Amino acid sequence: MAGLELLSDQGYRLDGRRACELRKVQARTSVFAQADGSAYLEQGNTKALAVVYGPHETRGSRSKSLHDRAVINCQYSMATFSTAERKRRPHGDRKSSEMSLHLKQTFEAAVLTELYPRSQIDIYVKILQADGGNYSACVNAATLALVDAGIPMRDYVCACTAGFVEDTPLADLCHAEESGGGTSLALALLPRSGNIALLQMDARLHQDHLDALIEAAMTACKGVSKVLDGVVRQHLEEVSVLTRD
Amino acid sequence: MLKSKTFVKKTRAGGVLKIVREHYLRDDIWCGSEVCKECKDEAPVLQEDACIESNLCSYPHYLIPDTNVVLHQIDILEDPLIRNVIILQTVLQEIRHRSAPAYKRIKDAIHEKEKHFYMFTNEHHRETFIEREPGESANDRNDRAIRVAAKWYADHLAKKTNGGSLKVVLLTDDRANKEKAEQYGLIVYRCEEYIKSLIGNPELVDRLALQPDDQNEITGSKLLFPEHLPLSRIQSGIKNGVLLQGTFHANRDNYLEGTVFINREGEDINEVLLQGLQNLNRAVHQDVVAVELFPKERWVAPSSVVLQDDSPNDEDAEEDETENKLYFGNSSILKPTGRVVGIIKRNWRPYCGMLSQSMIKEATRHLFTPADRRIPRIRIETRQAANLAGQRIMVAIDGWPKNSRYPNGHFVKNLGTAGDKETETEVLLLEHDVPHLPFSPAVLSFLPKMPWSITEEDLKVRADLRHLGVCSVDPPGCTDIDDALHCRELENGNLEVGVHIADVSHFIRPGNALDQEAASRGTTVYLCGKRIDMVPELLSSNLCSLRSNVERLAFSCIWEMNHNAEIIKTHFTKSVINSKASLTYAEAQMRIDDTTMNDDITKSLRGLNRLAKILKGRRTEKGALTLSSPEVRFHMDSETHDPIDLQTKELKETNSMVEEFMLLANISVAQKIYDEFSECALLRKHPSPPPSNYDILIKAAKSRDLNIHIDSAKALADSLNNATVENFPYFNTLLRILATRCMMQAVYFCSGMDSDFHHYGLASPIYTHFITHQEVRCYAQRASVAFHTQLFFKNKGIINEEGFILFVRKNAIIILIPKFGIKGTVFFDNKDKPSPHLIFDSEIPGVSVPVPESEPEAKKPKLDC
């Protein structure tokens, strides 16, 4: 059996998108009342739930707290039913601790942690359904949850993946495209300043193509940021209508 | 841009996974026609006046073929007359799954501007996408999708042209599909019907592939090979004589032919010829198989064509032509034929070779072409095909299902870039199964501790021959000198001649790891610029190398001879020697020829040389054969180890001098061990070949009106000596090369088990291998020479050189270029140009249309050693 043709001659991808098109992004904030902030985000078939607690006093040992800024604590996990194959996913395995670490680094770059010395912000993200771009879905969901929690940030953090097939950069890879064996680049962007919060790439890529790929990922991130901004504004409108009187 | 999204669930079998994929539907997929103003297509592909004169359709129209039409009538579609065709995505995807070559061809057609083929992405179009209904098969769903898309086109175009004349015509050969389409209000024709209706283009009909009417259901996988019998039935079959057991040997030149050698005593048939894929039935070279004989009327002579399997890289491409490709030789010698009914033991090993990439870029299944032509191509699954292109890789066979044209295998490892010296050497060693890893510590632990010297005890039990003028004669650059010679005059006027060989048995005790390792390696392998030692270097190049001016342990065979080289006394002893000089053949020759030199060594050499000539003369008298095989030597660049020049090996007098004494030592030892151990002496014999083996030689000689007598070895040797042609000195050598091919294989045997000890080639009543001086040429070595020759030519480009035709096959000749010692096959017919009309006469090998004299040289021959 032949493998999948990721990009047809007519320029359509497996799922019918063109190279630079994103999957449909839908999101809702304040999905839980208990938490300080929460958000649910769908990026195509990838679905993520993010919950934020804090800022609050550091739990556990005092030694972890920093005197000049807040500690960001991230935990990433995947639901047992999130992939095609049902699989128990223990906490703290290699993949998820790496992902947790990446999220932590991303948000340390975006959150104004210096406003809350000696305190802690917890971000919990769970992938409910995985279809490629797990990291970016987590970042986008967590951004909304942080906004929902009212934690001051420099900017939205928007993340998106990009791949490279037949000399064409593809934005927002789905699972089939990610596992196709090609390059996959994950990028987290602070869209207004254009600063990159995190950049990660698997597999090899010729240096000449790197700029084009990063460019494609950044454009995609900006697209995501518009959607997130819309979600936040709409939520605010709804809330303000409810609390008007 | 994104309008509507529907989610489609696709399930895929194999561990029942539920794969969920998004499926976006769009409204920005254009129809691709010039007529349509609404679709914002920048460069419409389909022309407005799509006119082709037809009885059936008198109006301009676009064609929509269904999957089976594209698959089977691709020849028609490729014709430049057929233009303005809409290929649906559904169709293209189905073709991609079913036939890689057809997929490639239709894609090429789409890319060709002149053809006006438009690929319509109907699966992602909002109005043409359909979901599979409950109970509907995938094929039915696709057929429906094609009809829906055709209908959409019909309506769309009608609307755009205000009910104008432009129409779409659906082509299908499936009766049910056609009926449904007609009900649906489409214009639909059978492909044959439509093509026949085209006015003024009757030639197209010839390209029409004949169809057994709508019996073209996708039949999954069809059986290509008969089933193998279970082992129990094979065993009972062999017991009662219905089946024969033997080792399968594929034919190197013809992939549709092979021979099974029956290795059972008392069987009158010892070779069974197999022809055709069906009869070979998935046997791979070296497998032990069970064969069933065909009745006598189906016995044939082996075909004499050269066939390489280079059919397109297709999954299960029909090989309809294969049967026609089997040319049956019509010579009178019929061989028993048969077919493989079962495999008793597979002898698969990992094979080296190259990957031939599939024509579909994303494909994960590719064919692997082994370096050994006797091994069929192997289908492997890999995702890294692009990285493996141009690399030498190793692949193991996993199995050969009966519905598959090729065996299935898997990638083992990457050996490196093809053409690279190290890689190719590695390939050679692996292919010829030469153990070439460094020696293990266990083996090395049995080496003597350095510094090593001869002890008093050694001297006590060994003859002290250190005072003798012993010298060694070897090829230049030789570091493992295993034999040395001496000759001196005794007081009684007779001559004493000694052959000394390094006493390896002193260092390697029987049964230890070192012994076992050496036994498994069997021989030292000499490659160009590289040597794979049988024993660790300390022994081979130092302690067991009879270098000059050092004391070494040896085993000596000493004769007392008179001046007529008649042996008076033979004597064997373990000894200690001290070689006085290690010479090359050329140096030794110079000393013999230089009359001013009169030292001991030179005198000894002259004595040896004189005796050797007498011995040789006597041997030739008795009918020993001098055969020939072309050998080349390289001049290597000292820095890069690239070959810079090559020449055929020259034989000097001294070469044959050394050889002569080695033979003599072997014969003496054989006699001695047979006398001592008459029941269990390891001897070597060379049976005389059956007369039929000489046919090619006699035929070849006849072409120059020469007669070869084969009644005895002596007669053969004499007639070979007389077989010279004026102005053609090389002819004799060619005959000798051919004669080599007629010979039987020499074999080792135990004296107790046989009564015939005769060595045919050497004309000696008894023989053994006490010592072999000339490096035994093994295949790895030859292949190494071949590779270096090729490397040499790579740098040289095309050169002209004189060559001789060795054999004539029906569609090729095998030529020899003596200067380089290359044997190669030159095909008459090229892929791109048809073969000239040739008449093949097996009686006098020859082809009636002479090949232009320059042709064999102009092509770089494929090496075949």
Side-chain angles (χ1 to χ4, degrees):
Chain A
M1 195 191 77
L4 295 165
E5 191 183 35
L6 294 181
L7 188 67
S8 75
D9 294 341
Q10 284 65 39
Y12 296 111
R13 289 156 68 174
L14 283 175
D15 49 13
R17 286 183 288 156
R18 287 190 177 276
C20 57
E21 287 171 356
L22 293 175
R23 290 177 287 178
K24 181 168 177 127
V25 182
Q26 285 174 306
R28 253 172 30 167
T29 54
S30 297
V31 284
F32 297 128
Q34 258 319 256
D36 293 319
S38 60
Y40 169 75
L41 180 129
E42 288 181 4
Q43 197 159 355
N45 274 339
T46 305
K47 299 175 183 181
L49 196 59
V51 178
V52 169
Y53 293 92
H56 56 75
E57 216 174 303
T58 20
R59 297 215 178 93
S61 67
R62 280 282 170 88
S63 57
K64 267 199 256 167
S65 70
L66 302 169
H67 68 91
D68 58 342
R69 58 190 166 96
V71 173
I72 290 186
N73 172 36
C74 283
Q75 257 181 38
Y76 165 88
S77 60
M78 280 175 92
T80 348
F81 48 82
S82 60
T83 50
E85 208 177 350
R86 207 180 148 82
K87 197 165 141 194
R88 260 202 70 67
R89 293 163 202 281
H91 278 285
D93 65 325
R94 239 184 124 85
K95 232 171 95 186
S96 60
S97 13
E98 189 191 346
M99 190 70 99
S100 302
L101 199 68
H102 284 159
L103 289 171
K104 184 181 151 110
Q105 286 168 349
T106 314
F107 286 103
E108 272 174 354
V111 175
L112 297 169
T113 49
E114 58 274 20
L115 296 179
Y116 306 103
R118 295 175 209 285
S119 49
Q120 180 180 346
I121 299 167
D122 293 321
I123 304 173
Y124 300 106
V125 258
K126 189 158 191 116
I127 292 289
L128 300 177
Q129 187 171 312
D131 186 30
N134 293 354
Y135 166 79
S136 22
C138 286
V139 170
N140 297 335
T143 302
L144 288 177
L146 283 166
V147 171
D148 188 39
I151 294 170
M153 290 197 288
R154 292 186 174 81
D155 194 355
Y156 291 106
V157 203
C158 301
C160 200
T161 52
F164 200 74
V165 171
E166 310 208 17
D167 292 339
T168 320
L170 305 182
D172 197 9
L173 304 181
C174 70
H175 178 70
E177 290 167 332
E178 249 178 8
S179 53
T183 318
S184 158
L185 174 134
L187 184 140
L189 184 77
L190 303 177
R192 253 178 303 170
S193 60
N195 287 337
I196 292 172
L198 188 122
L199 181 72
Q200 186 203 358
M201 186 165 76
D202 306 330
R204 286 152 59 106
L205 181 77
H206 196 282
Q207 200 185 346
D208 292 356
H209 302 313
L210 185 63
D211 282 339
L213 190 59
I214 290 181
E215 192 55 48
M218 280 169 77
T219 318
C221 286
K222 283 175 188 157
V224 172
S225 94
K226 267 186 211 146
V227 178
L228 298 190
D229 194 50
V231 170
V232 171
R233 280 173 200 280
Q234 200 196 344
H235 179 69
L236 271 178
E237 256 170 48
E238 282 167 16
V239 172
S240 56
V241 166
L242 286 177
T243 53
R244 187 164 291 163
D245 43 22
Chain B
M1 294 264 270
L2 293 175
K3 256 283 157 48
S4 156
K5 296 115 205 161
T6 330
F7 298 101
V8 172
K9 285 171 185 173
K10 288 185 189 169
T11 49
R12 222 163 41 172
V16 194
L17 277 186
K18 189 168 178 184
I19 305 282
V20 182
R21 281 203 197 125
E22 283 178 290
H23 196 98
Y24 290 89
L25 300 185
R26 327 179 54 106
D27 53 6
D28 63 346
I29 296 173
W30 317 127
C31 68
S33 168
E34 281 178 350
V35 184
C36 181
K37 298 286 177 289
E38 192 186 288
C39 292
K40 299 171 198 71
D41 206 341
E42 276 158 21
V45 178
L46 301 168
Q47 292 167 303
E48 187 168 353
D49 50 339
C51 269
I52 179 162
E53 279 182 79
S54 162
N55 285 334
L56 288 172
C57 329
S58 49
Y59 36 82
H61 58 273
Y62 299 146
L63 288 176
I64 302 184
D66 81 346
T67 311
N68 280 320
V69 170
V70 177
L71 212 53
H72 297 118
Q73 310 291 2
I74 184 81
D75 291 332
I76 293 269
L77 292 175
E78 272 181 342
D79 194 284
L81 275 168
I82 303 289
R83 280 177 296 169
N84 294 304
V85 175
I86 299 161
I87 304 290
L88 300 177
Q89 188 190 12
T90 317
V91 171
L92 200 64
Q93 276 172 352
E94 276 194 290
I95 290 171
R96 188 160 180 272
H97 279 114
R98 287 177 52 187
S99 163
Y103 178 70
K104 175 92 170 54
R105 286 167 74 180
I106 194 73
K107 270 192 96 159
D108 288 346
I110 294 172
H111 282 295
E112 207 173 308
K113 279 224 166 60
E114 296 298 300
K115 298 279 293 166
H116 298 283
F117 271 41
Y118 181 67
M119 147 72 185
F120 181 63
T121 315
N122 65 318
E123 295 284 356
H124 290 287
H125 193 284
R126 198 165 53 158
E127 285 160 43
T128 55
F129 171 75
I130 55 159
E131 262 186 279
R132 189 165 153 188
E133 280 164 3
E136 192 176 33
S137 80
N139 278 327
D140 289 345
R141 186 251 161 216
N142 286 342
D143 284 344
R144 190 157 63 90
I146 293 168
R147 291 197 299 270
V148 169
K151 179 76 179 158
W152 177 84
Y153 253 103
D155 295 348
H156 181 80
L157 292 176
K159 206 160 48 180
K160 294 308 157 238
T161 52
N162 295 323
S165 53
L166 199 57
K167 296 213 166 75
V168 287
V169 173
L170 180 67
L171 291 184
T172 179
D173 287 338
D174 185 334
R175 202 173 289 154
N177 191 15
K178 192 177 171 212
E179 272 165 27
K180 278 183 195 156
E182 274 162 355
Q183 283 167 19
Y184 200 50
L186 289 168
I187 305 166
V188 54
Y189 294 114
R190 284 188 23 247
C191 188
E192 194 186 340
E193 203 172 24
Y194 176 79
I195 295 300
K196 282 187 177 156
S197 78
L198 297 181
I199 305 160
N201 301 304
E203 72 277 10
L204 265 184
V205 179
D206 300 345
R207 303 184 72 175
L208 206 62
L210 288 177
Q211 284 284 321
D213 203 23
D214 69 335
Q215 282 304 305
N216 38 31
E217 277 290 300
I218 306 165
T219 44
S221 46
K222 74 183 261 239
L223 300 187
L224 284 166
F225 296 104
E227 185 110 47
H228 285 153
L229 293 180
L231 204 58
S232 54
R233 280 189 56 197
I234 293 176
Q235 272 161 350
S236 63
I238 290 171
K239 229 175 244 163
N240 59 31
V242 182
L243 304 178
L244 295 170
Q245 173 178 350
T247 317
F248 175 73
H249 284 255
N251 187 330
R252 193 186 291 272
D253 293 330
N254 181 345
Y255 74 99
L256 294 175
E257 202 174 275
T259 317
V260 172
F261 290 96
I262 310 296
N263 34 18
R264 202 160 72 170
E265 288 287 310
E267 203 70 62
D268 21 326
I269 292 162
N270 52 14
E271 255 184 67
V272 178
L273 188 73
L274 309 174
Q275 286 182 320
L277 281 181
Q278 291 274 324
N279 294 337
L280 296 179
N281 198 0
R282 294 171 276 159
V284 177
H285 185 63
Q286 289 292 347
D287 284 349
V288 180
V289 297
V291 286
E292 181 187 61
L293 278 183
F294 284 146
K296 266 215 169 84
E297 54 270 23
R298 289 180 65 186
W299 290 13
V300 292
S303 70
S304 51
V305 323
V306 181
L307 266 191
Q308 275 173 7
D309 185 5
D310 45 19
S311 54
N313 183 348
D314 188 4
E315 287 288 271
D316 291 304
E318 276 303 313
E319 292 279 309
D320 291 331
E321 330 92 292
T322 45
E323 288 310 312
N324 315 341
K325 278 197 205 159
L326 272 181
Y327 308 136
F328 291 100
N330 51 356
S331 147
S332 53
I333 336 141
L334 292 182
K335 281 202 174 173
T337 56
R339 65 187 185 95
V340 173
V341 293
I343 307 284
I344 294 163
K345 184 174 174 288
R346 291 289 195 187
N347 266 329
W348 291 340
R349 58 181 173 88
Y351 302 100
C352 303
M354 305 270 286
L355 193 74
S356 12
Q357 259 181 295
S358 164
M359 275 180 274
I360 298 178
K361 221 181 76 200
E362 299 87 1
T364 51
R365 280 185 177 179
H366 303 270
L367 279 184
F368 161 84
T369 313
D372 189 340
R373 287 223 304 266
R374 289 170 300 195
I375 308 298
R377 296 199 287 174
I378 302 165
R379 187 190 300 125
I380 62 166
E381 208 165 327
T382 172
R383 281 173 180 277
Q384 42 168 349
N387 299 340
L388 295 181
Q391 304 277 308
R392 290 274 176 200
I393 60 171
M394 211 166 166
V395 160
I397 305 185
D398 298 328
W400 196 338
K402 56 179 179 278
N403 53 9
S404 158
R405 168 77 172 74
Y406 300 107
N408 294 327
H410 65 268
F411 169 73
V412 177
K413 69 173 175 183
N414 189 346
L415 301 170
T417 314
D420 213 42
K421 243 191 320 293
E422 278 89 66
T423 313
E424 297 295 337
T425 310
E426 177 92 9
V427 169
L428 290 176
L429 295 174
L430 286 169
E431 269 300 291
H432 295 95
D433 220 2
V434 178
H436 59 286
L437 297 173
F439 289 94
S440 67
V443 170
L444 295 176
S445 70
F446 286 99
L447 289 179
K449 300 283 165 291
M450 294 300 285
W452 173 89
S453 63
I454 293 168
T455 60
E456 286 299 314
E457 282 107 75
D458 288 336
L459 280 175
K460 251 183 245 167
V461 295
R462 287 169 178 271
D464 187 354
L465 305 177
R466 285 178 287 183
H467 57 282
L468 293 179
V470 177
C471 68
S472 61
V473 184
D474 285 284
C478 179
T479 59
D480 49 342
I481 305 169
D482 46 14
D483 51 74
L485 300 159
H486 85 273
C487 170
R488 65 170 179 169
E489 202 147 338
L490 294 174
E491 283 157 16
N492 61 9
N494 284 343
L495 292 168
E496 181 194 82
V497 179
V499 170
H500 313 272
I501 71 158
D503 188 2
V504 186
S505 63
H506 179 84
F507 298 100
I508 303 180
R509 307 310 304 173
N512 69 21
L514 182 53
D515 181 46
Q516 282 166 3
E517 177 73 20
S520 80
R521 293 194 178 213
T523 179
T524 298
V525 179
Y526 298 83
L527 303 176
C528 302
K530 192 170 177 178
R531 193 179 79 206
I532 314 292
D533 279 318
M534 174 169 111
V535 295
E537 200 179 355
L538 176 69
L539 291 181
S540 67
S541 300
N542 189 352
L543 300 182
C544 292
S545 175
L546 304 177
R547 298 190 290 191
S548 53
N549 301 318
V550 281
E551 294 177 1
R552 288 285 177 255
L553 301 182
F555 197 98
S556 304
C557 171
I558 297 167
W559 299 277
E560 191 179 327
M561 286 185 180
N562 60 17
H563 285 267
N564 280 330
E566 279 150 1
I567 299 169
I568 295 163
K569 214 165 76 184
T570 315
H571 165 64
F572 304 95
T573 179
K574 286 190 172 185
S575 60
V576 180
I577 61 159
N578 186 347
S579 170
K580 299 290 179 291
S582 26
L583 307 171
T584 64
Y585 291 122
E587 280 169 359
Q589 190 67 51
M590 238 159 57
R591 279 183 182 236
I592 292 170
D593 296 343
D594 190 347
T595 45
T596 59
M597 291 184 84
N598 275 310
D599 52 297
D600 276 356
I601 301 290
T602 314
K603 276 195 230 159
S604 152
L605 282 172
R606 284 195 194 122
L608 287 168
N609 197 26
R610 204 175 56 75
L611 291 174
K613 278 184 192 159
I614 302 172
L615 285 171
K616 186 169 185 182
R618 203 177 292 154
R619 218 160 46 80
T620 320
E621 196 89 331
K622 280 199 236 153
L625 296 170
T626 318
L627 300 177
S628 179
S629 67
E631 279 184 26
V632 287
R633 254 198 144 28
F634 291 94
H635 292 295
M636 299 286 230
D637 189 306
S638 57
E639 291 288 312
T640 60
H641 296 287
D642 281 333
I644 36 184
D645 192 13
L646 80 181
Q647 63 184 78
T648 34
K649 250 185 198 172
E650 262 180 85
L651 290 182
K652 294 203 169 61
E653 229 175 28
T654 41
N655 288 52
S656 83
M657 171 186 96
V658 174
E659 198 184 321
E660 216 49 59
F661 282 103
M662 297 306 140
L663 290 177
L664 191 63
N666 284 343
I667 294 168
S668 298
V669 170
Q671 195 57 55
K672 175 79 178 170
I673 55 174
Y674 180 59
D675 292 346
E676 296 287 327
F677 313 101
S678 58
E679 283 301 306
C680 56
L682 176 73
L683 301 178
R684 188 169 170 84
K685 70 169 177 177
H686 183 204
S688 52
S692 65
N693 274 23
Y694 288 112
D695 286 352
I696 47 165
L697 179 65
I698 294 171
K699 260 187 224 165
K702 231 178 221 157
S703 70
R704 293 276 173 173
D705 294 328
L706 292 170
N707 279 322
I708 300 287
H709 303 283
I710 53 160
D711 323 327
S712 67
K714 170 86 178 113
L716 177 67
D718 287 344
S719 45
L720 274 178
N721 286 341
N722 296 330
T724 49
V725 177
E726 254 180 74
N727 307 328
F728 193 3
Y730 200 71
F731 187 72
N732 192 267
T733 318
L734 281 177
L735 282 184
R736 286 177 199 274
I737 291 169
L738 280 183
T740 322
R741 292 205 157 206
C742 308
M743 291 298 147
M744 303 285 282
Q745 188 97 42
V747 287
Y748 293 104
F749 70 103
C750 176
S751 59
M753 292 172 66
D754 211 329
S755 52
D756 174 30
F757 299 169
H758 192 75
H759 196 290
Y760 181 79
L762 297 171
S764 161
I766 190 165
Y767 192 71
T768 191
H769 267 164
F770 170 58
I771 174 168
T772 57
H773 176 77
Q774 292 297 80
E775 317 91 77
V776 188
R777 295 261 145 201
C778 73
Y779 282 110
Q781 237 168 316
R782 286 192 186 200
S784 170
V785 170
F787 166 62
H788 278 79
T789 315
Q790 213 163 33
L791 208 64
F792 173 72
F793 279 112
K794 204 165 104 187
N795 305 333
K796 264 280 164 68
I798 295 170
I799 50 171
N800 277 317
E801 199 58 58
E802 198 166 78
F804 299 104
I805 296 175
L806 274 188
F807 300 103
V808 181
R809 300 272 191 237
K810 212 168 243 177
N811 61 346
I813 47 171
I814 294 169
I815 58 159
L816 173 87
I817 301 177
K819 182 165 176 199
F820 306 117
I822 300 175
K823 242 181 276 170
T825 311
V826 178
F827 288 92
F828 293 141
D829 44 350
N830 260 341
K831 276 199 201 86
D832 23 293
K833 88 181 173 225
S835 60
H837 187 68
L838 302 171
I839 300 155
F840 178 73
D841 182 352
S842 64
E843 281 309 302
I844 313 143
V847 172
S848 65
V849 177
V851 190
E853 200 49 39
S854 63
E855 194 176 2
E857 288 88 37
K859 285 186 198 165
K860 214 150 95 183
K862 283 184 196 154
L863 283 184
D864 166 32
C865 274

